[in-house]
Amino acid sequence: MFKANITITLRPSILDPQGKAMQHALHDLGHASVAQVRAGKHIEMLIEAASAAEAEHVATKACEQLLANAVMEDFAVEIEELESAPVA
Amino acid sequence: MFKANITITLRPSILDPQGKAMQHALHDLGHASVAQVRAGKHIEMLIEAASAAEAEHVATKACEQLLANAVMEDFAVEIEELESAPVA
């Protein structure tokens, strides 16, 4: 069993009103040192696979086909091997 | 200038219907090996600070006061130092 940690971020050229709203709220709370905020998605996926390479292939396909918007978003996949299988 | 990579995840005991929906959609697309999906948030923050410790303090405060829901979510903060300051 492998765990894929997937990070999906807006491309730098895409405006991020959600991040801007967070930044303004942080300034109002007194955190003037926060110069920029960008909001993205973090997805954790448990994958049954024979190897880390196979798990990475599945996670990458999942991003391309469903999770990420290729026009506006970039994604990164990190794979770690799990000893046992946690199930929620 | 420091960059804080913040990961906000639902606590394991909290049901995640968004993750379940992603998992069902991935099964429908043929990815039967995906055993679990959990959805969270990834936030990137640029912080003007004198040290990594100060930047981590600001990012942690931001999570506690605004970004994360302490009842239902956990958060993790990673700090990296930037050479120059990218501004979008």
Side-chain angles (χ1 to χ4, degrees), chain A residues 66-79:
Chain A
L66 181 74
L67 303 175
N69 174 344
V71 178
M72 303 208 301
E73 293 172 330
D74 291 318
F75 65 87
V77 174
E78 270 177 38
I79 301 287

Side-chain angles (χ1 to χ4, degrees), chain A residues 2 48-55 81:
Chain A
F2 293 86
E48 294 271 11
S51 68
E54 188 188 320
E81 188 162 6

Side-chain angles (χ1 to χ4, degrees), chain B:
Chain B
M1 180 74 79
F2 293 87
K3 180 176 172 187
N5 289 301
I6 299 169
T7 304
I8 300 175
T9 49
L10 280 176
R11 295 196 164 187
S13 58
I14 305 288
L15 287 177
D16 180 6
Q18 189 187 3
K20 276 281 172 214
M22 289 175 185
Q23 186 187 350
H24 283 299
L26 288 170
H27 280 204
D28 290 347
L29 287 169
H31 298 297
S33 61
V34 176
Q36 189 190 85
V37 181
R38 304 276 291 172
K41 281 175 275 187
H42 172 83
I43 297 169
E44 294 176 358
M45 200 181 283
L46 298 184
I47 302 171
E48 295 271 10
S51 68
E54 188 189 320
E56 186 169 359
H57 178 77
V58 170
T60 302
K61 273 280 169 201
C63 288
E64 289 171 355
Q65 294 180 344
L66 181 74
L67 302 175
N69 174 345
V71 178
M72 302 209 300
E73 293 172 331
D74 291 318
F75 65 87
V77 174
E78 270 176 39
I79 301 288
E80 61 181 289
E81 189 162 3
L82 298 182
E83 301 282 317
S84 59
V87 172

